[in-house]
Amino acid sequence: MDISWDDARLFLAIAETGSFSGAARRLRIGQPTVSRRLAALEYAVGSALFRRSVDGAALTSAGERLLVPAKKMAEWAGELHRAAESADSSPRGIVRVTATPYMSFDFLAPFAAFVSQKHPGLRLEVQSQIQYLDLGRGEADLALRGRPPTSADLKLVDTLEVPNAVFVSKALKARLPKKLSLQQLPWVAWASPFEAVPPNPQLESMIPGFSPSFTADNYLVLVAAAEAGLGAMVMARMAHRFTRPSRLVPLDVDLGPFSRSQTHLVCAKSALDIPRVRRVSELLREEFQRIRLGR
């Protein structure tokens, strides 16, 4: 029997999100459509591919056998898509960039306006994600990540290193002693399910019994809490020409081994053959260089 790419993509979406609702969100279709199409696929295969429960959908043994081939199919679908688009000689269209919530809000949103003015035919779609998207499959064109790539299919385009600092509201700073340690500060930090996202692990390693005064699962909520004086936030001191006025001010506090952080510009190797992706990557590299030079 033949399994189409649409069916394989549906199968992967369920397997990787662990639920029909998660697959529906990823594929941007209705959950009844997911159920209907999976039932048709299972009928064609002749076996149940998932065990349904209140906790979601888990692979059966038949589903496990399909998982690796389906992932390879996804990778080749991404390659096929990029090969077709590389024939377009003009840098026009949408470039999807994925980054952390901080980078998306502070840097990529105003950078997108700059790109639009410089190249009216280009448009950025920013996907603000804690989790890494799969660039090999074409889930995004470019990524700004905290870790360099380890896959042979990915290319490290550039790396930007900047200092980190502890930021608080002006009102909170006025109430704090001149000399203080990390342990003396109230902290604003990530809540579940993002407890392993920086700076939480770093603060836990430096502060015995680390217990934030406020937590949230949304970056903008964390910033709003810090601006309201609820606590301190660790943020990169990435001065760039798009920097917006901030209500937060830095403290003179030693962050030890966490005093610097890196942002890596990453893409699938074949993605740079697409003119619009290559041009946006070049513009990002130019901005990284401006930041390094303090312009």
Side-chain angles (χ1 to χ4, degrees), residues 81 85 88-97 111-112 115-126 141-142 274-281 283:
H81 180 73
E85 291 196 307
D88 184 3
S89 60
S90 61
R92 300 181 62 84
I94 298 174
V95 177
R96 297 162 301 157
V97 186
F111 171 75
V115 172
S116 178
Q117 294 166 7
K118 191 175 182 67
H119 294 283
L122 280 176
R123 179 164 69 86
L124 260 63
E125 179 180 287
V126 176
D141 299 310
L142 297 166
I274 303 172
R276 67 176 185 276
V277 177
R278 183 171 61 252
R279 185 59 185 134
V280 172
S281 73
L283 292 172

Side-chain angles (χ1 to χ4, degrees), residues 60-287:
T60 63
S61 57
E64 291 281 1
R65 289 193 295 271
L66 290 184
L67 187 58
V68 171
K71 286 182 176 180
K72 290 181 179 179
M73 192 174 183
E75 292 169 1
W76 278 108
E79 285 293 319
L80 181 64
H81 180 73
R82 288 188 289 270
E85 291 196 307
S86 65
D88 184 3
S89 60
S90 61
R92 300 181 62 84
I94 298 174
V95 177
R96 297 162 301 157
V97 186
T98 179
T100 63
Y102 166 74
M103 288 296 293
S104 298
F105 173 76
D106 181 74
F107 176 68
L108 281 178
F111 171 75
F114 164 75
V115 172
S116 178
Q117 294 166 7
K118 191 175 182 67
H119 294 283
L122 280 176
R123 179 164 69 86
L124 260 63
E125 179 180 287
V126 176
Q127 301 182 40
S128 176
Q129 297 273 348
I130 295 293
Q131 301 89 351
Y132 285 0
L133 296 181
D134 194 321
L135 300 178
R137 294 187 196 171
E139 292 180 354
D141 299 310
L142 297 166
L144 297 179
R145 295 178 169 175
R147 298 194 301 268
T150 56
S151 169
D153 297 329
L154 300 183
K155 177 179 177 64
L156 176 60
V157 180
D158 200 0
T159 296
L160 176 67
E161 184 173 288
V162 297
N164 293 328
V166 177
F167 287 84
V168 297
S169 67
K170 293 179 181 178
L172 178 55
K173 184 175 182 178
R175 299 195 302 267
L176 294 171
K178 296 295 183 182
K179 292 186 178 181
L180 72 165
S181 65
L182 297 177
Q183 291 88 339
Q184 294 173 285
L185 284 168
W187 288 98
V188 168
W190 287 107
S192 176
F194 303 129
E195 303 98 322
V197 174
N200 284 35
Q202 290 79 6
L203 292 174
E204 289 172 2
S205 68
M206 293 186 287
I207 302 173
F210 174 67
S211 180
S213 60
F214 178 85
T215 57
D217 63 352
N218 182 287
Y219 172 75
L220 294 183
V221 175
L222 293 176
V223 172
E227 290 178 341
L230 272 173
M233 264 185 96
V234 176
M235 301 168 67
R237 299 191 73 168
M238 194 175 106
H240 51 80
R241 56 177 168 160
F242 311 123
T243 301
R244 58 171 53 83
S246 174
R247 295 164 58 187
L248 299 175
V249 292
L251 291 178
D252 184 16
V253 182
D254 183 17
L255 284 170
F258 190 47
S259 61
R260 300 188 71 80
S261 59
Q262 292 183 330
T263 297
H264 305 280
L265 175 57
V266 182
C267 69
K269 289 181 177 178
S270 57
L272 294 181
D273 294 333
I274 303 172
R276 67 176 185 276
V277 177
R278 183 171 61 252
R279 185 59 185 134
V280 172
S281 73
E282 291 168 350
L283 292 172
L284 283 168
R285 290 187 68 185
E286 290 171 10
E287 291 305 319

